[in-house]
Amino acid sequence: MPWFVWLLAAAALGVVEFFTLTLVFGLLAGAALVAAVVAGVGVGLLGQLLALAGAAAAGLLLVRPVALRHMTQQPLTREGTDALIGKRAEVMQEVSATRGLIKLSGEEWSARALDESLVIPVGALVDVMEIEGATAIVYPRELLP
């Protein structure tokens, strides 16, 4: 089989992988590329099919399980404002449902209380529950009087 037929097959499998995102068709496209190289070197049809089968088996049995395992793992570190969620902060200016000021990771942040009925006094320790823009949504670490 001519090498360009394998190349067309690889391109078609790559397009199918793009729409399915299963990692199966992408690995088969890679195997078709291997078969195209083997055909380009001048190996016969049997050699091309063996190269295709070997590359497909190696991809599906060895590469795919490792890739899937890495894709399902959560990132080890959080970045940006996500890294601030769950941190402890100190209230610098009384925090209510609408406004307040806290010291979080050495910086002053505008804040508001998660529970709109709470007013958190100066000096209280709070946990950052979420970040909305440049405002930290906080909840007191201890019961308020």
Side-chain angles (χ1 to χ4, degrees), residues 41-115:
V41 172
V43 177
L45 182 60
L46 181 60
Q48 295 170 28
L49 292 174
L50 287 174
L52 175 74
L60 294 175
L61 297 176
L62 299 175
V63 175
R64 187 172 187 264
V66 173
L68 288 177
R69 189 169 40 247
H70 283 284
M71 287 171 42
T72 58
Q73 288 180 347
Q74 294 293 325
L76 298 176
T77 59
R78 294 185 296 176
E79 297 177 350
T81 58
D82 287 340
L84 299 174
I85 295 173
K87 295 257 185 189
R88 182 184 316 185
E90 182 181 354
V91 176
M92 305 299 290
Q93 183 182 42
E94 186 176 81
V95 176
S96 66
T98 56
R99 63 187 177 105
L101 191 67
I102 60 170
K103 186 161 201 141
L104 173 62
S105 296
E107 298 177 341
E108 290 185 354
W109 278 73
S110 60
R112 64 181 175 85
L114 179 66
D115 184 351

